[in-house]
């Protein structure tokens, strides 16, 4: 490698770029399609933007009880900012859930308030609240369950510590407890509790207003941990990274297939008859592939930055490093396709599948944090995972250069491995 | 100029080329004939450095060719059997790329492209995409691409397949001009009349081995090595000689 053959190398790169840009379809697939799909996924997964309302969960509440408690629960749910509450008839609610228009139907059965009041102080069976839900919306079901717990506790305790029902209940319970066969010590404690509750009721009204009941002993302040305290998570950052990577991999798989076509058409015979080393031939391909990949990724990101306000919140150098390492990895993947492939048609089919698997497991479609834990571990063997994580880190997570070093290193290691395997398996004899 | 010394190449049990030796001098065109699968392309590929021989040497100007980057490869130009061109690029872009592989650039490259296009009569079409060319034009461009770096030795593997008589004659004129310029040409073909017209010497190979190496008149008139029977039914055309030498059974 004493003197690098500059002229042949530059000519190879120039030729591959000319060929790439002369194929209108490949240009559209590489530049327009990832932007379109990235925008689509971004709009789905984007967090609350500047003025975007969080999406409310549609639920239906059917109050078959009509007690003070059940009415308070309905009011509580209606005032919750996470919910969009409708109050249809039961049959209508069940139908809406079945059709997917409503995530969860909450049915408060007859006598719920009464039974809940009794159960609150430990006497009597706990009443049911019936939930009907759309099985495809388990996450929303879990959220509704949590939100509902809060409002039911609120309503029941408020009633029991201040409402007419509570007062009645206490007055009725005191003699019952006194005559019960409860152990003496426990009886004394319970009586003392109820008498002091009675004391609350008998206070003159107006002094401190209505008692509050049991409330949640905390309020939640949510702060998304991203680049800066006032920078919103931008779902487009992830989706454009993912789609950019997917389509640059497609472009590189295609580059490999094109090499097989070059061989089939005898072009590789011409290349090999020139006094150019095997190393130079592969390096030329790797270089042009890396340039094309880098262009696809940067055009994709530039679009996201201009149109969707995606920002490189972390290290710009780290971002470029990850992008370049990812491009080199992808182009050496293209060489591998050329080395291992036989006929262009079968190679195209197999590599399309391989790319789809890689981007799916690498978290280019949906972020890997939604994967089960074992899969999150497993996907570390997929180079795309490192590319996506590296780009996420340097864009919306706002991580500095140090955070980009591991992805860069791993991607370059993959590139070296792919390149070495390609070089060793490449069919050099042009019979 | 080009000497082929005991070349041998086998693919598994199949011996594709078996101890082939001959040479091509400056200003000479040697016709390489043989039935399908005789080993012509394999021989040419070994000369061009595309296939490594199992044994034997290719000597260029007396020195053996060694390795991919041997500078002596510059003295060899290959015109492959396939139309090895990029359809999506212009004629000029194709030639610029192939020339650059031989380290040509700048004014030297421009001059070489102009000369090669001039020779094959495509100068006025240099900006057009190759995919708009006719079969004959592509053949001529295929030839031009092998000539760019002004090699001393030209390897032509069936350069006239699918070409009309006009283009064929144009190519023959080109080859005769190259001979006059002192190039050594190794020419593979299945068309006997091409060899009759162009070749100074004819090498016939079959089953990987050389079975004749003579001038046209030497082959037509036979020589002492022939049996009395063959001498009696002495063939008068090269095709008849060829069939006598290689037999009439189908190959491949
Ligand atoms: N890569 C290869 N692997 C296995 N066998 C091969 C390979 N290349 C050539 N052969 C065999 O070697 C023999 C010689 O082939 P070659 O292409 O040199 O013949 P040819 O004289 O050029 O034939 P044609 O006139 O059909 O072009 C044939 O039997 C062919 O099948
Ligand atoms: Mg052949």
């Amino acid at each position: 490698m004493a003197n690098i053959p500059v002229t042949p190398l530059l000519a190879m790169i120039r030729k591959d770029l000319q060929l790439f840009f002369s194929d209108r379809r490949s240009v559209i697939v590489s530049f327009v399609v990832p932007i379109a799909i990235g925008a689509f996924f971004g709009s789905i997964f984007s967090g609350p933007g500047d003025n975007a309302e969080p999406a409310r969960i549609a639920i239906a509440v059917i109050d078959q009880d009509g007690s003070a408690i059940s009415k308070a629960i309905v009011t509580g749910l209606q005032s919750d900012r996470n919910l969009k509450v409708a109050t249809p008839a039961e049959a209508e609610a069940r139908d809406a859930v079945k059709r997917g228009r409503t995530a969860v139907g909450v049915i408060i059965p007859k006598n719920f308030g009464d039974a809940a009041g009794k159960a609150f102080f430990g006497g009597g069976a706990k009443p049911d609240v019936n939930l009907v839900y759309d099985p495809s919306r388990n996450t929303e079901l879990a959220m509704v369950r949590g939100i509902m717990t809060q409002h039911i506790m609120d309503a029941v305790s408020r009633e029991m510590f201040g409402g007419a029902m509570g007062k009645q209940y206490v007055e009725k319970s005191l003699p019952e407890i006194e005559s019960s066969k409860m152990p003496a010590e426990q009886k004394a404690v319970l009586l003392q509790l109820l008498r002091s509750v009675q004391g609350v009721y008998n206070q003159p009204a107006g002094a401190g207003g209505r008692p509050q009941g049991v409330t949640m002993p905390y309020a939640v302040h949510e702060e998304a941990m991203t680049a800066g305290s006032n920078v919103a998570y931008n779902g487009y950052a992830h989706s454009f990274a993912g789609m950019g990577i997917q389509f640059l991999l497609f472009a590189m798989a295609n580059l490999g297939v094109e090499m097989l076509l070059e061989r089939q058409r005898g072009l590789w015979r011409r290349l090999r008859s020139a006094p150019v080393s095997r190393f130079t031939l592969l390096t030329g391909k790797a270089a042009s592939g890396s340039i094309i990949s880098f262009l696809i990724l940067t055009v994709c990101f530039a679009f996201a930055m201009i149109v969707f306000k995606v920002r490189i919140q972390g290290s710009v150098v780290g971002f470029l490093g990850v992008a370049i390492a990812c491009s080199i990895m992808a182009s050496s993947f293209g060489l591998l396709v050329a080395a291992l492939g036989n006929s262009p048609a079968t190679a195209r089919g197999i590599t399309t599948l391989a790319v789809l698997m890689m981007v799916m497991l690498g978290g280019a479609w949906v972020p890997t944090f939604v994967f089960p834990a074992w899969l999150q571990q497993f996907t570390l063997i997929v180079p795309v995972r490192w590319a996506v994580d590296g780009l996420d880190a340097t864009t919306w997570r706002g991580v500095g250069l140090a955070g980009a070093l591991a992805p860069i290193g791993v991607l370059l290691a993959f590139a070296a491995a792919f390149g070495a395997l390609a070089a060793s398996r490449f069919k050099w004899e042009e019979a | 100029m080009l000497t082929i010394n005991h070349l041998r190449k086998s693919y598994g049990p199949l011996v594709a080329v078996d101890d082939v030796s001959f040479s091509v001098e400056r200003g000479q065109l040697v016709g390489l004939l043989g039935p399908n699968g005789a080993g012509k392309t394999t021989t040419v590929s070994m000369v061009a450095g595309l296939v490594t021989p199992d044994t034997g040497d290719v000597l260029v100007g007396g020195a053996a060719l060694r390795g991919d980057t041997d500078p002596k490869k510059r003295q060899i130009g290959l015109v492959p059997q396939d139309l090895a061109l990029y359809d999506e690029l212009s004629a000029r872009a194709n030639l610029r790329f192939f020339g650059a592989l031989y380290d040509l650039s700048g004014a030297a490259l421009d001059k070489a492209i102009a000369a090669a296009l001039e020779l094959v009569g495509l100068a006025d079409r240099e900006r057009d995409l190759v995919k708009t060319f006719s079969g004959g034009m592509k053949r001529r461009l295929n030839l031009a691409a092998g000539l760019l770096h002004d090699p001393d030795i030209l390897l032509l593997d069936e350069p006239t397949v699918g070409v009309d008589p006009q283009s064929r004659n144009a190519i023959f004129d080109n080859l005769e001009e190259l001979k006059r310029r002192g190039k050594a040409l190794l020419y593979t073909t299945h068309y006997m009349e091409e060899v009759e017209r162009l070749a100074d010497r004819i090498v016939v190979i079959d089953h990987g081995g050389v079975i004749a190496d003579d001038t046209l008149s030497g082959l037509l008139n036979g020589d002492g090595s022939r049996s009395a029977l063959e001498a009696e039914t002495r063939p008068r055309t090269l095709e008849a000689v060829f069939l006598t030498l290689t037999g009439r059974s189908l190959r491949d």
Side-chain angles (χ1 to χ4, degrees), chain B residues 1-162:
Chain B
M1 188 69 233
L2 172 69
T3 307
I4 291 162
N5 253 347
H6 304 293
L7 278 187
R8 188 187 155 90
K9 178 74 186 180
S10 49
Y11 294 106
L14 177 96
V15 184
V17 173
D18 191 5
D19 196 26
V20 165
S21 300
F22 62 90
S23 62
V24 188
E25 302 306 324
R26 282 184 187 281
Q28 205 182 39
L29 188 148
V30 171
L32 185 59
L33 299 182
N36 289 132
K40 302 182 297 294
T41 298
T42 307
T43 302
V44 169
S45 297
M46 286 190 279
V47 176
L50 308 177
V51 171
T52 317
D54 296 340
T55 55
D57 281 314
V58 173
L59 307 181
V60 174
L65 209 56
R66 293 269 181 269
D68 291 332
T69 54
D70 191 325
K72 285 190 291 298
K73 277 174 89 178
R74 275 170 217 288
Q75 289 173 258
I76 300 175
L78 173 68
V79 179
Q81 190 166 346
D82 312 283
L83 288 169
L85 301 165
Y86 292 99
D87 280 342
E88 308 298 324
L89 299 184
S90 68
R92 188 180 173 76
N94 266 283
L95 295 184
R96 201 168 43 205
F97 171 58
F98 296 128
L101 291 179
Y102 289 87
D103 228 0
L104 292 173
S105 61
L109 179 58
D110 288 340
K111 227 177 98 186
I113 292 173
L117 286 172
E118 189 62 43
L119 184 77
V120 299
L122 287 172
D124 53 335
R125 297 295 300 269
E126 63 168 9
R127 308 233 161 252
D128 296 344
L129 297 186
V130 170
K131 67 177 171 193
T132 67
F133 282 17
S134 72
M137 289 163 76
K138 286 182 186 174
R139 276 284 159 207
R140 273 141 63 201
L141 188 62
N142 203 37
L143 171 63
L147 291 172
L148 272 178
H149 57 289
D150 195 25
D152 297 321
I153 300 163
L154 201 59
L155 310 173
L156 302 123
D157 198 353
E158 304 191 30
T160 56
V161 174

Side-chain angles (χ1 to χ4, degrees), chain A residues 30 224 328 343 390 396:
Chain A
S30 302
I328 297 173
S343 85
W396 62 268

